[in-house]
Amino acid sequence: MTLSPPPGADLYPRGRLYPLILLCAGVEFFGVQAYAFGAHSLSVGLGLTPAEFALASTVYTVACIAAIFKHQWATGRFGYRRYLLVSTAVYVAASLLCAASDGLASFCAARFLQGLGGGGLFLSSRLMCNLFLPPDKRLTGVMWMSHGILLVPVFAPLSTALLGEWFGHRALFVQMAALGALLWWTAWRALPREPASAEGARGHSPATALAFAVAVVAIELMLQGFAWVDLYAHELLSLLPLLALLGLTLYYLRERRQERPWLDPRVLADRPFVVGGLLSFFFYLVIVEFHYTAPLLGRGLGLSWWAIGGLLTLFNLSAYASYWLFQKKSDPAGRLKGWMTGGVAAMGAGCLMLAWLPSEPRWLYALPIVLQSCFAVFVIIPLSIRMFRNLSGDFYSHGYRTRLIMGKVAASLAISGAALAVERRQALGMTLLEASQRQFLWLALICALFLLLIERQQSIE
């Protein structure tokens, strides 16, 4: 189904829409960076093991998947303005609940609500470019979205470090709530009232989303070595593959009844779709694991949290400078493959440097951080432009939402996989510095696979 703008969309004041598009994308990326950076202090403050913290990350991912699945139904049934205001209010309230959590159960419940409220924000940002902007202004809207991705989270690591040292781990979520409140106010001002309409409200059923979520949880449990399950509960371990198979089967059967299925099995033969999804998966896997592992490396070097936050803020500032370099080129979108290759190569080279640099002098660690910042721009922006070219309006097909969901799953795996890997290495006698440096070697290997995937994909240009 190709979406059409609601009545009067061409009269929407673009001066207010552009900041809203920026904030919708920025709030989500701010949350990802702040959460990954503050993961270690947060898990210590809540008294969670790495395995329990990984569970909370997966709960959030499942909620995001449900939010993305039901985005079409919610916006069609209640209108874009109501949907955005309610989902943002849920995000703000859930962030405050996360700040007030004092154990695994309450934290998982709050993270689930936060995923329901914030899981569709990035999709909403991209969707508004097509719904409320004329064709000649849509690329401008995408650029504003890019500003949100890169500009809003610039100081996320530094603010998380400073607020965490002053007020404790709960401040991490208070700043998310404050940014979400700003988004809510901007949406209230920017989007005019519109009547609710059932047109286009036929989304995917809750059973479909539930089946997919069950499969994701079971697969993550298997990939992470059943770390969340009591080792004595062997009968539960044997049920996990069956749960994954059951979830995928139910999902497939439900999708066959849809007039237009979300993931038609025939699209798996479409190489650009499959590779595009893998590129999105690898991007989120690398960028989130980098923001989780870099603070551990800094702690291993004996740096304070604010110093580590400053290093990652340098990463974000350099990335924003790279964005301006990208924009200044006469035809940056005409060389997407070259930009992506350069960005991934820079990240891989920086990971190798972080894995082998001596502990002194510490200022040397700023060099790979600046080099790696190219990755954030020269990969995600070409990916966004490519998706913009392929999907001008059809956001509820298998393409765009699949890539967003794969990104959410990758972000969850990045945090939980790195947390468990570093913990196991420390249990074997490695120091925190050695364990985190070893993780950067794995990141360099992932970047090498990323480069191979880009090189073999002929349809990027």
Side-chain angles (χ1 to χ4, degrees):
M1 182 191 76
T2 300
L3 295 175
S4 57
D10 56 331
L11 301 178
Y12 286 11
R14 292 195 292 273
R16 294 180 180 179
L17 279 174
Y18 288 143
L20 178 59
I21 290 170
L22 179 147
L23 279 173
C24 263
V27 166
E28 182 161 349
F29 271 77
F30 183 95
V32 169
Q33 282 203 24
Y35 184 78
F37 176 83
H40 179 71
S41 60
L42 181 61
S43 59
V44 171
L46 291 172
L48 303 180
T49 66
E52 291 172 333
F53 192 78
L55 175 60
S57 298
T58 299
V59 166
Y60 175 80
T61 301
V62 169
C64 288
I65 290 172
I68 293 172
F69 258 110
K70 302 307 294 180
H71 191 277
Q72 178 184 9
W73 175 84
T75 54
R77 177 66 178 83
F78 301 107
Y80 304 97
R81 186 177 191 271
R82 289 186 181 91
Y83 166 79
L84 193 54
L85 289 174
V86 172
S87 63
T88 305
V90 171
Y91 177 83
V92 171
S95 298
L96 295 176
L97 288 175
C98 286
S101 300
D102 56 2
L104 178 62
S106 59
F107 184 58
C108 284
R111 283 291 281 171
F112 184 82
L113 289 175
Q114 192 181 37
L116 285 181
L121 289 180
F122 188 74
L123 179 58
S124 296
S125 176
R126 183 61 185 85
L127 186 63
M128 282 188 287
C129 294
N130 271 44
L131 286 175
F132 304 138
L133 296 176
D136 62 322
K137 296 295 182 181
R138 287 175 185 170
L139 187 56
T140 302
V142 172
M143 290 304 176
W144 273 81
M145 186 179 73
S146 302
H147 280 290
I149 295 171
L150 297 166
L151 180 60
V152 175
V154 159
F155 294 102
L158 189 58
S159 65
T160 301
L162 293 177
L163 291 174
E165 285 199 353
W166 293 339
F167 304 108
H169 65 276
R170 303 182 191 279
L172 186 155
F173 291 105
V174 174
Q175 62 178 344
M176 291 186 192
L179 198 57
L182 177 61
L183 171 61
W184 188 93
W185 181 82
T186 306
W188 177 270
R189 296 271 298 171
L191 293 179
R193 298 182 184 276
E194 55 180 312
S197 171
E199 182 183 357
R202 286 188 58 191
H204 298 275
S205 69
T208 300
L210 180 62
F212 191 83
V214 167
V216 168
V217 172
I219 290 170
E220 283 209 28
L221 283 169
M222 290 185 287
L223 289 176
Q224 294 166 13
F226 314 113
W228 303 332
V229 184
D230 190 332
L231 294 178
Y232 297 100
H234 298 290
E235 64 277 7
L236 289 178
L237 297 181
S238 63
L239 284 176
L240 287 174
L242 295 177
L243 283 175
L245 180 61
L246 176 63
L248 290 173
T249 301
L250 290 174
Y251 163 72
Y252 174 75
L253 292 176
R254 293 291 305 187
E255 284 295 282
R256 289 189 63 186
R257 299 173 58 184
Q258 298 286 337
E259 181 179 345
R260 181 162 188 178
W262 169 66
L263 184 56
D264 191 323
R266 289 173 295 180
V267 307
L268 296 178
D270 181 7
R271 180 174 171 177
F273 163 71
V274 174
V275 177
L278 289 175
L279 289 175
S280 297
F281 181 88
F282 276 124
F283 172 80
Y284 279 92
L285 185 69
V286 171
I287 199 71
V288 174
E289 187 161 332
F290 168 77
H291 277 89
Y292 177 85
T293 310
L296 297 181
L297 179 67
R299 294 299 284 180
L301 289 168
L303 299 177
S304 63
W305 278 117
W306 70 265
I308 301 169
L311 273 177
L312 290 183
T313 296
L314 176 64
F315 172 90
N316 288 334
L317 287 171
S318 300
Y320 197 60
S322 299
Y323 175 70
W324 283 104
L325 173 65
F326 179 86
Q327 275 197 316
K328 292 298 182 182
K329 294 298 179 180
S330 57
D331 183 24
R335 295 184 293 273
L336 299 184
K337 193 170 184 178
W339 286 107
M340 292 177 68
T341 300
V344 177
M347 174 58 81
C351 288
L352 289 175
M353 291 175 67
L354 290 174
W356 295 110
L357 280 176
S359 57
E360 295 289 346
R362 296 175 184 174
W363 63 264
L364 284 176
Y365 284 83
L367 300 179
I369 292 290
V370 172
L371 178 65
Q372 288 168 312
S373 68
C374 299
F375 177 78
V377 178
F378 297 160
V379 179
I380 190 61
I381 304 303
L383 274 177
S384 297
I385 292 175
R386 184 60 186 167
M387 285 189 280
F388 173 75
R389 287 177 169 180
N390 286 347
L391 300 163
S392 56
D394 200 355
F395 287 89
Y396 295 123
S397 65
H398 56 264
Y400 196 79
R401 287 196 300 178
T402 301
R403 297 181 188 189
L404 288 180
I405 288 174
M406 290 187 74
K408 295 292 186 183
V409 174
S412 175
L413 283 173
I415 292 178
S416 53
L420 294 170
V422 171
E423 181 192 37
R424 290 183 186 125
R425 294 189 192 111
Q426 288 185 284
L428 293 174
M430 288 187 180
T431 64
L432 179 59
L433 178 61
E434 293 169 337
S436 54
Q437 284 183 320
R438 183 70 60 86
Q439 196 63 26
F440 274 109
L441 285 177
W442 280 105
L443 267 176
L445 177 59
I446 293 173
C447 289
L449 294 175
F450 205 157
L451 278 174
L452 179 63
L453 198 63
I454 293 172
E455 179 61 30
R456 294 184 61 85
Q457 177 62 2
Q458 301 300 319
S459 65
I460 290 178
E461 299 295 357

